[in-house]
Amino acid sequence: MIEGSYIQDKRYVIGVIGDIPALLTFWQMFRDQTNDELLKEVGVVAAALPGETVLPGADDSGRVIPTYAGYKKMLENHPEINMVIEATGRPGLVYELRNYLPPAITLVERGAANFFINLLASNQIWVACKLDLLHTQNMLKTIIDQMEQEILFLDEKGRVMGMNQTVLERTGLPKKALMGLPYCDVFTHAPEGECEEWDDPFEKTMRTHAPAEATTSLVDRDGRVQYFRVYTNPVADEDGAINHVVAIRRDITQRRSMENRLQQAEKLASIGELSTYMAHEIRNPLFSISGFANSLMRSKGVDEKAREKLAIILDESRRLDEVLRSLMNFTRPTEAQVAEVDLNEVVTATMDVMRLPCSNQKVEAHVTLDESMARVHANPDLIKQCLINLIKNGLEAMPDGGKLFVTTAMNHDLAMLAVEDTGVGIPLDIRDKIFSPFFSTKDKGAGLGLAQIHKIVGELGGRVDLVSMEGVGTKVTLFLPPILAVEESGESG
């Protein structure tokens, strides 16, 4: 018998009519091609074999499906049947069923049954393909969203059609606010039209149908420069037309910093070789020139005009000697004695000397000292030299007066000494060169001031950080490793 709950759950209660080969074929197709969703609405409750001997009941997931020697017997025993499938394809049997079955029972002929079963198979394949496609799509989206690089999907005019999660996190904007924007507005944060002046890789990709790349930079809110590499890759359709472009922006600030350090190290090595040559080939003749000039100055037969010219020779000789001495000192390792240094004491002593120059230039000097400041391993004279150079640079940046801030503090695990001015700031195009030897924006000097500071602090195991905005000012911070309590206890033990 068929369970009542099984029948109530089904929308179509089916009885199948056919000979043994047709029934076996139909049953195999029905089980193989139908899916779980269809089986929830369709149930086969009986089978009829007209003119055949009754077979044992078929098994359907633990249910026994009874078989009958004729369809009339099947319908008498199963009044719940509302659909009959004729599986033999015999015209006479089909005609007979059309005349016998009541209107409440739907007759499905063999050809129609096969068609719908095959259609179900196609639907099952489509569902499987759809699930596979959704899985692949979700996997790709997850991979793209987890990439550190910012990725934009552009149309043929460079407008944003989509982006990964990294873009949303770094811009802090919702997806709707970015859709349709020119990609330069997102990647360069520049006014509209900036792409026309920039070496735009998107324009090159659309023109050449090939990948392109370019470097851009921007200044963040803290006045720090960030460098980015922008890559554009074309996406062609089956006809080869470029309708979409993938734009990727990668932060290369750290790489640029390492490249600058490497270039500076190579430059210092070259300067070291050059300084040795200059000391021998220039300094010795220079002593002879200055010696003879001094001798002529002491001679009684030299008139005033000649003495003026000799004085110029001596002054220029001394200046050249100072440049050579600075160059030699710069290329040599710092051999000054290192001791425990109180940065607050160094700042106080230095400002006692530099307050007068500040006052003469109408610069307000503000000093903020951290009383809980840790001591550092350094040479006090060299730290004082660094501080004086930074203060002088700040004064030169404020010819019409301003404010100068000197601060000490603990920054995480490093001691910090900062000098900040409200001067003209450093232009973006020369900011990379500011610590390079012999680079200077002044008419006088050898351009070794900031390079020497960078060298001294680096040899002490620290670092120099520069933040500048044009028209706002510049802040240079020296980070020095503090003395650890472990070292003191080890020495005392």
PDB file of all heavy atoms in Angstrom, residues 26 65 67 80 162 210 248 259 262 273 304 323 338 360 396-397 422 433 435 471 477:
ATOM      1  N   PHE A  26      11.611   3.516 -18.932  1.00  0.00           N
ATOM      2  CA  PHE A  26      11.060   4.736 -18.359  1.00  0.00           C
ATOM      3  C   PHE A  26      11.547   4.932 -16.919  1.00  0.00           C
ATOM      4  O   PHE A  26      11.924   6.033 -16.515  1.00  0.00           O
ATOM      5  CB  PHE A  26       9.525   4.692 -18.392  1.00  0.00           C
ATOM      6  CG  PHE A  26       8.870   5.777 -17.588  1.00  0.00           C
ATOM      7  CD1 PHE A  26       8.766   7.059 -18.103  1.00  0.00           C
ATOM      8  CD2 PHE A  26       8.408   5.534 -16.294  1.00  0.00           C
ATOM      9  CE1 PHE A  26       8.196   8.073 -17.352  1.00  0.00           C
ATOM     10  CE2 PHE A  26       7.838   6.535 -15.546  1.00  0.00           C
ATOM     11  CZ  PHE A  26       7.723   7.817 -16.061  1.00  0.00           C
ATOM     12  N   ILE A  65       6.182  -0.347  -5.074  1.00  0.00           N
ATOM     13  CA  ILE A  65       5.229   0.140  -6.067  1.00  0.00           C
ATOM     14  C   ILE A  65       4.539  -1.077  -6.665  1.00  0.00           C
ATOM     15  O   ILE A  65       5.171  -1.891  -7.351  1.00  0.00           O
ATOM     16  CB  ILE A  65       5.933   0.961  -7.159  1.00  0.00           C
ATOM     17  CG1 ILE A  65       6.638   2.166  -6.532  1.00  0.00           C
ATOM     18  CG2 ILE A  65       4.940   1.397  -8.229  1.00  0.00           C
ATOM     19  CD1 ILE A  65       7.410   3.000  -7.516  1.00  0.00           C
ATOM     20  N   THR A  67       2.300  -3.534  -9.071  1.00  0.00           N
ATOM     21  CA  THR A  67       2.060  -3.639 -10.520  1.00  0.00           C
ATOM     22  C   THR A  67       0.758  -4.404 -10.743  1.00  0.00           C
ATOM     23  O   THR A  67       0.366  -5.278  -9.957  1.00  0.00           O
ATOM     24  CB  THR A  67       3.217  -4.368 -11.226  1.00  0.00           C
ATOM     25  OG1 THR A  67       3.333  -5.690 -10.674  1.00  0.00           O
ATOM     26  CG2 THR A  67       4.516  -3.614 -11.041  1.00  0.00           C
ATOM     27  N   GLU A  80      -6.385   7.798  -6.239  1.00  0.00           N
ATOM     28  CA  GLU A  80      -5.629   9.055  -6.033  1.00  0.00           C
ATOM     29  C   GLU A  80      -4.825   9.464  -7.263  1.00  0.00           C
ATOM     30  O   GLU A  80      -4.305  10.579  -7.345  1.00  0.00           O
ATOM     31  CB  GLU A  80      -4.685   8.906  -4.828  1.00  0.00           C
ATOM     32  CG  GLU A  80      -3.484   7.993  -5.049  1.00  0.00           C
ATOM     33  CD  GLU A  80      -3.804   6.527  -4.792  1.00  0.00           C
ATOM     34  OE1 GLU A  80      -5.014   6.208  -4.624  1.00  0.00           O
ATOM     35  OE2 GLU A  80      -2.884   5.700  -4.738  1.00  0.00           O
ATOM     36  N   GLY A 162      33.503  48.939 -11.430  1.00  0.00           N
ATOM     37  CA  GLY A 162      33.581  48.043 -10.279  1.00  0.00           C
ATOM     38  C   GLY A 162      34.926  48.191  -9.611  1.00  0.00           C
ATOM     39  O   GLY A 162      35.858  48.799 -10.157  1.00  0.00           O
ATOM     40  N   ALA A 210      47.620  47.293 -25.500  1.00  0.00           N
ATOM     41  CA  ALA A 210      48.639  46.539 -24.762  1.00  0.00           C
ATOM     42  C   ALA A 210      48.695  47.045 -23.325  1.00  0.00           C
ATOM     43  O   ALA A 210      48.271  48.171 -23.029  1.00  0.00           O
ATOM     44  CB  ALA A 210      50.004  46.702 -25.433  1.00  0.00           C
ATOM     45  N   ILE A 248      45.198  48.612 -11.879  1.00  0.00           N
ATOM     46  CA  ILE A 248      45.707  48.167 -10.581  1.00  0.00           C
ATOM     47  C   ILE A 248      46.687  49.220 -10.052  1.00  0.00           C
ATOM     48  O   ILE A 248      47.566  49.675 -10.788  1.00  0.00           O
ATOM     49  CB  ILE A 248      46.419  46.813 -10.693  1.00  0.00           C
ATOM     50  CG1 ILE A 248      45.465  45.760 -11.272  1.00  0.00           C
ATOM     51  CG2 ILE A 248      46.958  46.357  -9.342  1.00  0.00           C
ATOM     52  CD1 ILE A 248      46.124  44.425 -11.554  1.00  0.00           C
ATOM     53  N   GLU A 259      65.192  51.863  -2.632  1.00  0.00           N
ATOM     54  CA  GLU A 259      65.983  52.260  -3.802  1.00  0.00           C
ATOM     55  C   GLU A 259      66.792  53.517  -3.507  1.00  0.00           C
ATOM     56  O   GLU A 259      67.969  53.615  -3.895  1.00  0.00           O
ATOM     57  CB  GLU A 259      65.062  52.489  -4.997  1.00  0.00           C
ATOM     58  CG  GLU A 259      64.439  51.222  -5.554  1.00  0.00           C
ATOM     59  CD  GLU A 259      63.435  51.511  -6.654  1.00  0.00           C
ATOM     60  OE1 GLU A 259      63.117  52.710  -6.861  1.00  0.00           O
ATOM     61  OE2 GLU A 259      62.955  50.558  -7.297  1.00  0.00           O
ATOM     62  N   LEU A 262      69.707  52.584  -1.336  1.00  0.00           N
ATOM     63  CA  LEU A 262      70.730  51.898  -2.123  1.00  0.00           C
ATOM     64  C   LEU A 262      71.501  52.884  -2.982  1.00  0.00           C
ATOM     65  O   LEU A 262      72.740  52.825  -3.066  1.00  0.00           O
ATOM     66  CB  LEU A 262      70.075  50.827  -2.997  1.00  0.00           C
ATOM     67  CG  LEU A 262      71.012  50.010  -3.892  1.00  0.00           C
ATOM     68  CD1 LEU A 262      72.029  49.258  -3.049  1.00  0.00           C
ATOM     69  CD2 LEU A 262      70.213  49.036  -4.760  1.00  0.00           C
ATOM     70  N   GLU A 273      85.775  57.186  -2.548  1.00  0.00           N
ATOM     71  CA  GLU A 273      86.919  57.031  -3.447  1.00  0.00           C
ATOM     72  C   GLU A 273      87.378  58.386  -3.981  1.00  0.00           C
ATOM     73  O   GLU A 273      88.583  58.656  -4.086  1.00  0.00           O
ATOM     74  CB  GLU A 273      86.544  56.103  -4.604  1.00  0.00           C
ATOM     75  CG  GLU A 273      86.196  54.683  -4.165  1.00  0.00           C
ATOM     76  CD  GLU A 273      85.740  53.822  -5.318  1.00  0.00           C
ATOM     77  OE1 GLU A 273      85.738  54.355  -6.460  1.00  0.00           O
ATOM     78  OE2 GLU A 273      85.392  52.656  -5.106  1.00  0.00           O
ATOM     79  N   GLU A 304      98.316  97.947  -2.106  1.00  0.00           N
ATOM     80  CA  GLU A 304      97.001  97.636  -1.539  1.00  0.00           C
ATOM     81  C   GLU A 304      96.130  96.828  -2.486  1.00  0.00           C
ATOM     82  O   GLU A 304      95.415  95.908  -2.059  1.00  0.00           O
ATOM     83  CB  GLU A 304      96.279  98.934  -1.153  1.00  0.00           C
ATOM     84  CG  GLU A 304      96.794  99.600   0.095  1.00  0.00           C
ATOM     85  CD  GLU A 304      96.685  98.682   1.306  1.00  0.00           C
ATOM     86  OE1 GLU A 304      95.628  97.989   1.439  1.00  0.00           O
ATOM     87  OE2 GLU A 304      97.629  98.623   2.096  1.00  0.00           O
ATOM     88  N   VAL A 323      85.482  72.862   2.541  1.00  0.00           N
ATOM     89  CA  VAL A 323      84.683  71.923   1.767  1.00  0.00           C
ATOM     90  C   VAL A 323      85.352  70.553   1.732  1.00  0.00           C
ATOM     91  O   VAL A 323      84.707  69.508   1.929  1.00  0.00           O
ATOM     92  CB  VAL A 323      84.458  72.454   0.336  1.00  0.00           C
ATOM     93  CG1 VAL A 323      83.803  71.385  -0.541  1.00  0.00           C
ATOM     94  CG2 VAL A 323      83.610  73.717   0.350  1.00  0.00           C
ATOM     95  N   VAL A 338      80.944  57.652  22.095  1.00  0.00           N
ATOM     96  CA  VAL A 338      79.516  57.531  22.388  1.00  0.00           C
ATOM     97  C   VAL A 338      79.324  57.365  23.880  1.00  0.00           C
ATOM     98  O   VAL A 338      80.053  56.614  24.541  1.00  0.00           O
ATOM     99  CB  VAL A 338      78.903  56.324  21.636  1.00  0.00           C
ATOM    100  CG1 VAL A 338      77.451  56.127  22.019  1.00  0.00           C
ATOM    101  CG2 VAL A 338      79.034  56.523  20.129  1.00  0.00           C
ATOM    102  N   ASN A 360      66.275  87.580  16.499  1.00  0.00           N
ATOM    103  CA  ASN A 360      66.684  88.549  15.471  1.00  0.00           C
ATOM    104  C   ASN A 360      65.876  88.380  14.186  1.00  0.00           C
ATOM    105  O   ASN A 360      65.700  89.345  13.429  1.00  0.00           O
ATOM    106  CB  ASN A 360      68.172  88.399  15.165  1.00  0.00           C
ATOM    107  CG  ASN A 360      69.041  88.823  16.343  1.00  0.00           C
ATOM    108  OD1 ASN A 360      68.595  89.581  17.220  1.00  0.00           O
ATOM    109  ND2 ASN A 360      70.277  88.346  16.379  1.00  0.00           N
ATOM    110  N   GLU A 396      66.149  79.593   7.935  1.00  0.00           N
ATOM    111  CA  GLU A 396      66.295  79.987   6.529  1.00  0.00           C
ATOM    112  C   GLU A 396      64.985  79.811   5.758  1.00  0.00           C
ATOM    113  O   GLU A 396      64.758  80.497   4.764  1.00  0.00           O
ATOM    114  CB  GLU A 396      67.407  79.168   5.882  1.00  0.00           C
ATOM    115  CG  GLU A 396      68.799  79.535   6.405  1.00  0.00           C
ATOM    116  CD  GLU A 396      69.867  78.586   5.886  1.00  0.00           C
ATOM    117  OE1 GLU A 396      69.496  77.612   5.196  1.00  0.00           O
ATOM    118  OE2 GLU A 396      71.048  78.818   6.176  1.00  0.00           O
ATOM    119  N   ALA A 397      64.130  78.901   6.232  1.00  0.00           N
ATOM    120  CA  ALA A 397      62.834  78.699   5.577  1.00  0.00           C
ATOM    121  C   ALA A 397      61.803  79.730   6.007  1.00  0.00           C
ATOM    122  O   ALA A 397      60.704  79.773   5.444  1.00  0.00           O
ATOM    123  CB  ALA A 397      62.314  77.282   5.878  1.00  0.00           C
ATOM    124  N   THR A 422      57.355  76.749  10.447  1.00  0.00           N
ATOM    125  CA  THR A 422      56.174  77.174   9.684  1.00  0.00           C
ATOM    126  C   THR A 422      56.604  77.930   8.434  1.00  0.00           C
ATOM    127  O   THR A 422      56.016  78.933   8.054  1.00  0.00           O
ATOM    128  CB  THR A 422      55.257  78.061  10.550  1.00  0.00           C
ATOM    129  OG1 THR A 422      56.014  79.205  11.011  1.00  0.00           O
ATOM    130  CG2 THR A 422      54.737  77.300  11.748  1.00  0.00           C
ATOM    131  N   LYS A 433      65.494  64.087  -2.944  1.00  0.00           N
ATOM    132  CA  LYS A 433      66.927  64.388  -3.000  1.00  0.00           C
ATOM    133  C   LYS A 433      67.437  65.105  -1.757  1.00  0.00           C
ATOM    134  O   LYS A 433      68.616  65.403  -1.661  1.00  0.00           O
ATOM    135  CB  LYS A 433      67.211  65.272  -4.225  1.00  0.00           C
ATOM    136  CG  LYS A 433      66.653  64.736  -5.522  1.00  0.00           C
ATOM    137  CD  LYS A 433      66.820  65.750  -6.637  1.00  0.00           C
ATOM    138  CE  LYS A 433      66.145  65.300  -7.931  1.00  0.00           C
ATOM    139  NZ  LYS A 433      66.234  66.332  -8.983  1.00  0.00           N
ATOM    140  N   PHE A 435      68.135  64.436   1.271  1.00  0.00           N
ATOM    141  CA  PHE A 435      69.188  63.842   2.105  1.00  0.00           C
ATOM    142  C   PHE A 435      70.394  63.403   1.283  1.00  0.00           C
ATOM    143  O   PHE A 435      71.298  62.768   1.807  1.00  0.00           O
ATOM    144  CB  PHE A 435      68.641  62.645   2.880  1.00  0.00           C
ATOM    145  CG  PHE A 435      67.661  63.027   3.958  1.00  0.00           C
ATOM    146  CD1 PHE A 435      66.322  62.714   3.826  1.00  0.00           C
ATOM    147  CD2 PHE A 435      68.077  63.703   5.095  1.00  0.00           C
ATOM    148  CE1 PHE A 435      65.409  63.066   4.812  1.00  0.00           C
ATOM    149  CE2 PHE A 435      67.167  64.061   6.079  1.00  0.00           C
ATOM    150  CZ  PHE A 435      65.846  63.737   5.941  1.00  0.00           C
ATOM    151  N   GLY A 471      54.021  75.756   1.711  1.00  0.00           N
ATOM    152  CA  GLY A 471      53.205  76.817   2.259  1.00  0.00           C
ATOM    153  C   GLY A 471      52.766  76.587   3.688  1.00  0.00           C
ATOM    154  O   GLY A 471      52.131  77.459   4.287  1.00  0.00           O
ATOM    155  N   THR A 477      62.247  64.774  12.118  1.00  0.00           N
ATOM    156  CA  THR A 477      62.265  64.044  13.385  1.00  0.00           C
ATOM    157  C   THR A 477      63.413  63.054  13.393  1.00  0.00           C
ATOM    158  O   THR A 477      63.576  62.281  12.434  1.00  0.00           O
ATOM    159  CB  THR A 477      60.939  63.298  13.604  1.00  0.00           C
ATOM    160  OG1 THR A 477      59.848  64.228  13.481  1.00  0.00           O
ATOM    161  CG2 THR A 477      60.893  62.668  14.986  1.00  0.00           C
TER     162      THR A 477
END
